[in-house]
Amino acid sequence: MITLEVAPGIHRVSAANVNCYVIEDQKGITLVDAGLPRMWEGVMEILKARARMPHEVQALVLTHAHFDHMGFALRAQQSLGVPVIVHHRDAWLAAHPYRYATERNRLLYPFTHPRSLPLLGKMAVSGALNVKGVHGMQLMPDGVMLEIPGNPVPVHTPGHTDGHCILHLPDRRAVFTGDALVTLDPYTAETGPQIVAGAATKNTAEAMDSLQAIALTEAQHVLPGHGAAWHEGAEAAVEAARKVGAH
């Protein structure tokens, strides 16, 4: 469930094939995505393991606002008093994390891809059906470094959602790809670099186009919202995802 140093100064919490991350530096802590509700305990375990205190958390940044990236966002906002930062085109979705458009029916899709049913079941057990929305978000600028621990640079990568952003940490050669590029698709159970199926993606053609922004980071460490970290470079991950194509 917990992986320390999945990339330099970055730690991962995983549950039910969903990832969220903790960025650590001398100034404090930044959380990337809020996973599922039960993943909060994993974040607290990482802070304890690293001898850091909850009050050192300065921000929660969302790659996008689907329910499986919003799990403990309200709790972090209320109990830690931190800003929840999201792209303006996902601000409404952050308040209504289940009300998103997809190219294909997400309720019927798993029945044509039955290997995904155990994965989706695990997500439900981890709280996926009880995620609360957040209001009073802070809106992130595109392409401008955020003045928070880790200094991530958001890059708008629409397709999966209208406001999806990757978060690039140039000095650590790392990029958080959210669901713009994953290494496990919960809707198909397929592994390896790919975009997420149309059952959870608004516009797959736009998502395929957004892969170029990931490649341009030239990051070594690709940290997705679902699946294992990829350490063979962003360009190789994008090449592999393009070969898989839309599904």
Side-chain angles (χ1 to χ4, degrees):
M1 186 174 182
I2 292 173
T3 305
L4 297 178
E5 297 288 343
V6 68
I10 300 170
H11 318 295
R12 182 182 65 204
V13 179
S14 300
N17 301 295
V18 176
N19 300 326
C20 66
Y21 297 90
V22 175
I23 305 173
E24 183 180 18
D25 73 11
Q26 292 181 344
K27 296 180 295 182
I29 302 291
T30 293
L31 307 180
V32 175
D33 286 334
L36 299 168
R38 291 182 62 182
M39 295 168 70
W40 173 262
E41 287 75 16
V43 171
M44 294 298 107
E45 286 182 37
I46 286 177
L47 297 184
K48 184 177 180 180
R50 301 296 297 176
R52 307 297 295 252
M53 299 298 292
H55 68 78
E56 295 184 78
V57 178
Q58 296 186 18
L60 165 61
V61 187
L62 303 176
T63 59
H64 65 296
H66 280 169
F67 67 92
D68 56 336
H69 294 254
M70 289 286 302
F72 58 76
L74 182 61
R75 186 171 184 177
Q77 184 188 54
Q78 293 181 340
S79 67
L80 300 179
V82 300
V84 177
I85 304 174
V86 67
H87 189 273
H88 72 90
R89 292 184 68 188
D90 264 19
W92 185 88
L93 182 58
H96 310 87
Y98 296 104
R99 297 174 64 180
Y100 55 91
T102 62
E103 282 195 342
R104 303 180 69 176
N105 189 313
R106 66 180 182 271
L107 299 178
L108 297 179
Y109 194 89
F111 294 98
T112 61
H113 295 76
R115 289 176 56 205
S116 69
L117 289 171
L119 279 67
L120 297 173
K122 290 178 181 179
M123 290 173 63
V125 170
S126 292
L129 304 180
N130 190 35
V131 174
K132 307 298 183 184
V134 172
H135 298 272
M137 290 78 67
Q138 179 176 316
L139 304 182
M140 70 171 75
D142 179 21
V144 178
M145 184 182 73
L146 302 178
E147 297 290 341
I148 57 177
N151 300 119
V153 180
V155 179
H156 189 212
T157 47
H160 186 67
T161 66
D162 289 333
H164 193 290
C165 290
I166 60 172
L167 302 170
H168 184 205
L169 277 64
D171 61 333
R172 307 190 196 202
R173 300 193 63 199
V175 60
F176 299 97
T177 56
D179 286 5
L181 185 151
V182 298
T183 56
L184 182 148
D185 186 344
Y187 284 86
T188 66
E190 296 295 331
T191 58
Q194 60 195 292
I195 68 167
V196 175
T201 293
K202 183 175 183 180
N203 186 320
T204 56
E206 199 170 33
M208 291 298 295
D209 289 342
S210 285
L211 289 172
Q212 179 63 15
I214 297 173
L216 288 173
T217 67
E218 298 183 348
Q220 177 183 349
H221 310 288
V222 176
L223 306 175
H226 303 275
W230 173 276
H231 300 291
E232 299 173 42
E235 292 171 289
V238 166
E239 182 180 356
R242 286 175 172 153
K243 288 179 179 178
V244 174
H247 52 285

